[in-house]
Amino acid sequence: MTPTFRRVTLALALSAVASASAFAQQKLKYPKQPAAEIYDAVEKPAVPLGGLDAYAQYLADKQQYPTAALQAGTQGTVNVTFVIEKTGSISNVTVAQPVAPELDAEAIRLIKAGPRWTPAQHRGGVVRQRVSIPITFQIPASAEGGTAGAAPAAGAGPTTQVVTPDKPARPVGGTDAFFEWIQQNQKYPALARQRKVEGRVMMEFIVQKDGSLAEIKPIKRMGSGLDEEAIRLIKAAPKWEPATYKGQPMKQKMVLPVVFQL
């Protein structure tokens, strides 16, 4: 994805506590660990199946930036805490410090839908471990704000001033109605269906002052005919309510996904 519509910063708080004892015994025996106890520090931390790099890539690929948060310009890092069970499954997924309802919900969805883990080990046995991961939502520059004409200085050529609208552009009838229209009018390309290709084509476009959509182009391509279908859909889509700045309509650049799912 170009300048990534979604950028994810991954930092796993997996700390290992070494436990050493000097006993004059032939074999060291640990007491049996309480089945329900949750550890924050363990000798061998839990790790995602496939490794940390693969897990970071999963978070980056599967993050769906909430449209409402995008239009409102909401960004931030959601710290998600959860428990890796002895089976490697995930439970008790919570947000320690809420950022915004839409971002919090998407961060929780990502963690719950993620791969299983190799469980932690401590004192000779498999144990439950508490893990915290920060998931960052950042709107790329191409998706923020809009453009409005500014008076050029004497002797200078025309210039463009980048401003943040007082009221962002939005689809007529609301975001839900817009995406419902996309789904109802979508024609799944035969080649993509044959190849079982599905995913999201990230589309960039300008909402003009009259609400029409222009300069439509994909910034993350999927191939197999999906890109062309996404372009067709946006070109045929209903008009939007334009963004306004100081009471006047203005152009605004938007980045939204067109989802293809078999």
Side-chain angles (χ1 to χ4, degrees):
M1 179 177 301
T2 64
T4 73
F5 177 62
R6 326 174 311 279
R7 200 165 101 200
V8 178
T9 302
L10 174 68
L12 294 178
L14 305 175
S15 57
V17 176
S19 177
S21 301
F23 293 104
Q25 299 178 4
Q26 290 183 343
K27 186 176 182 180
L28 182 62
K29 294 183 178 180
Y30 292 111
K32 187 176 181 180
Q33 304 301 319
E37 185 167 355
I38 299 173
Y39 292 82
D40 292 301
V42 294
E43 294 170 348
K44 187 175 181 181
V47 293
L49 293 180
L52 297 180
D53 289 342
Y55 191 72
Q57 190 63 48
Y58 155 78
L59 293 176
D61 291 343
K62 299 301 182 180
Q63 186 187 99
Q64 300 176 9
Y65 210 112
T67 304
L70 173 65
Q71 292 183 338
T74 306
Q75 306 180 84
T77 297
V78 180
N79 287 299
V80 184
T81 299
F82 52 98
V83 173
I84 306 299
E85 299 290 345
K86 294 181 179 181
T87 60
S89 61
I90 296 168
S91 68
N92 301 349
V93 184
T94 60
V95 172
Q97 294 180 330
V99 175
E102 299 87 356
L103 301 186
D104 299 341
E106 173 59 13
I108 290 174
R109 184 196 67 81
L110 277 170
I111 296 301
K112 286 185 174 181
R116 297 175 72 88
W117 290 54
T118 299
Q121 295 184 27
H122 190 62
R123 294 192 171 186
V126 176
V127 297
R128 305 169 77 199
Q129 184 190 2
R130 182 179 291 105
V131 174
S132 293
I133 294 179
I135 298 179
T136 297
F137 295 86
Q138 183 172 2
I139 301 175
S142 62
E144 291 185 280
T147 58
T159 62
T160 298
Q161 178 186 6
V162 178
V163 299
T164 299
D166 299 325
K167 181 181 177 183
R170 66 186 301 272
V172 173
T175 302
D176 291 342
F178 179 77
F179 281 109
E180 184 178 352
W181 182 93
I182 291 289
Q183 291 301 314
Q184 290 177 349
N185 290 273
Q186 185 181 102
K187 299 177 181 179
Y188 217 105
L191 182 59
R193 187 180 297 277
Q194 179 183 356
R195 293 176 174 175
K196 294 181 170 54
V197 178
E198 55 183 353
R200 292 174 297 154
V201 179
M202 299 304 303
M203 296 297 299
E204 179 183 280
F205 54 92
I206 301 292
V207 179
Q208 302 280 41
K209 293 180 180 181
D210 63 356
S212 61
L213 309 183
E215 299 182 33
I216 300 165
K217 62 181 180 181
I219 59 174
K220 179 186 177 184
R221 296 177 177 270
M222 293 292 297
S224 301
L226 297 182
D227 306 328
E228 291 76 10
E229 174 60 10
I231 293 172
R232 183 193 71 81
L233 283 166
I234 298 299
K235 284 184 175 180
K239 283 189 174 184
W240 285 42
E241 296 176 7
T244 58
Y245 180 68
K246 294 184 178 180
Q248 297 298 317
M250 60 174 284
K251 297 180 181 180
Q252 184 179 14
K253 182 179 292 185
M254 303 297 297
V255 177
L256 290 178
V258 174
V259 179
F260 293 89
Q261 188 171 11
L262 293 170

